[in-house]
Structure formats: C-alpha cells, structure tokens
Amino acid sequence: FETVGSAVVQRKRLRIRYRKVGSKEVGEREASPQRLVHHRNAWYLDAWCHASEGFRRFALDGIETAELLDQAAKPIALKTLEAELDRGYGIFAGGTPQEAELLFSAEAAAYVAREEWHPAQQSDWLPDGRWRLRLPYVDDRELLMDLLRHAGQVDVLAPAALRKAFAQRLRAAVAALPG
C-alpha cells in the first residue's frame, strides 16, 4: 500500500480498516505507523494502536483501506519498539515471553543447527551429536508450524504447554491421514 508507506515516511497517523488473520471480522483502527517489516514473503506494519493503547503488528494484506491523516504519528523510540515487538519467535509479537527448549536428532542437527531460529537463541551440542536449542517465543503458532517440519526428528523438552500442543498437532495430523 502506497498510503501505508507514505504514513511511515511522513510520520503521520493512519485510519485503517483491518481484517485479522483467520477472522471475518473487520475493524477500524487509528494507528501511528512506526516501521514496515518483511517476514516470510509477507509485509507487516508495526504501529501504535490508539484504540487499544498498545503496539500492534498489522499484516498488510489484512488492511482493506488506509487513509492518511493530518495528525503526527506518536513517536516511539526504536529500542522501545524492538523490546515490545521483536522478543518473540517469528512474526507474532506482544505477550509474555517464554523459552522453548528443543532437542534435535543427530540426523536433523546436521542441517538445523545452521539456521538462525531467533537472534537470542542459545544452543549446545550433545556428545551423541544431538543439538539442544533454547529460544524465546510469545505465541506458539509459528513455532509449532516450524517444529512440524521436523516431526520425528525433534523433541519439545519445555515448556510443558508447548510439548502438549506439539503432541496434539502430531496426533491431529496422523488422524487426518486417509485409510
């Protein structure tokens, strides 16, 4: 959207009609755009939402209309924005950070260890060639999608809720198989 880009550059507020991912509900918001973020072939607008009085990340493909307003955008320091929106795994932002602890098989570790899962990740190699990875996340949806790519090659050690969610997704996938 040209209007969204102009609002970021000009530091002006936007009025948007927005549809949340996976929802049919459309809402109207007034936002102070801060930056555009590109993640996995999609663009997002990081902004201060004046309706909710908090930071939000809006998928650009969810913005149905955008109107540039005359009011100046609320200024937010980049460090504040990063601390609020960049602490989790993937594109999901906000919420209470948790730490996932994952253990990859020696076979998977040979290639998975070359990937950066999160800038704050910590990892170590076990003597048998397995690779243990610890990383922050605030919403398990994207992390679970990535873990499912490694089904049978990764064990979710912690937290218990993530381990349970991963097991439920695996069971649902098996149940959906034909025959």
Side-chain angles (χ1 to χ4, degrees), residues 124-136:
D124 57 298
W125 289 93
L126 301 182
D128 63 1
R130 292 180 298 162
W131 187 61
R132 182 174 32 224
L133 173 64
R134 291 171 302 285
L135 61 114

Side-chain angles (χ1 to χ4, degrees), residues 104 107-117 121 131 133 150:
F104 290 90
E107 180 184 344
Y111 59 91
V112 173
R114 291 181 284 201
E115 300 173 8
E116 181 182 274
W117 287 63
Q121 73 186 35
W131 187 61
L133 173 64
H150 303 288

Side-chain angles (χ1 to χ4, degrees), residues 75-130:
I76 306 287
L78 182 58
K79 286 187 181 214
T80 302
L81 186 68
E82 290 173 341
E84 186 65 28
L85 294 180
D86 295 346
R87 63 184 173 198
Y89 180 81
I91 202 62
F92 294 104
T96 304
Q98 300 181 70
E99 184 177 82
E101 185 175 357
L102 314 170
L103 185 60
F104 290 90
S105 69
E107 180 184 344
Y111 59 91
V112 173
R114 291 181 284 201
E115 300 173 8
E116 181 182 274
W117 287 63
H118 190 276
Q121 73 186 35
Q122 297 176 339
S123 65
D124 57 298
W125 289 93
L126 301 182
D128 63 1
R130 292 180 298 162

Side-chain angles (χ1 to χ4, degrees), residues 20-104:
K20 273 181 119 174
V21 175
S23 173
K24 293 180 181 180
E25 188 178 318
V26 177
E28 192 167 291
R29 305 277 183 108
E30 189 171 307
S32 285
Q34 301 299 312
R35 65 180 178 183
L36 291 169
V37 177
H38 188 253
H39 180 71
R40 294 187 179 189
N41 298 318
W43 284 95
Y44 300 86
L45 171 66
D46 285 351
W48 176 264
C49 177
H50 294 278
S52 62
E53 288 293 312
F55 293 104
R56 295 292 181 268
R57 182 166 278 162
F58 298 101
L60 287 192
D61 62 2
I63 297 175
E64 293 187 351
T65 62
E67 176 189 353
L68 189 63
L69 303 176
D70 288 332
Q71 295 168 284
K74 177 180 178 149
I76 306 287
L78 182 58
K79 286 187 181 214
T80 302
L81 186 68
E82 290 173 341
E84 186 65 28
L85 294 180
D86 295 346
R87 63 184 173 198
Y89 180 81
I91 202 62
F92 294 104
T96 304
Q98 300 181 70
E99 184 177 82
E101 185 175 357
L102 314 170
L103 185 60
F104 290 90

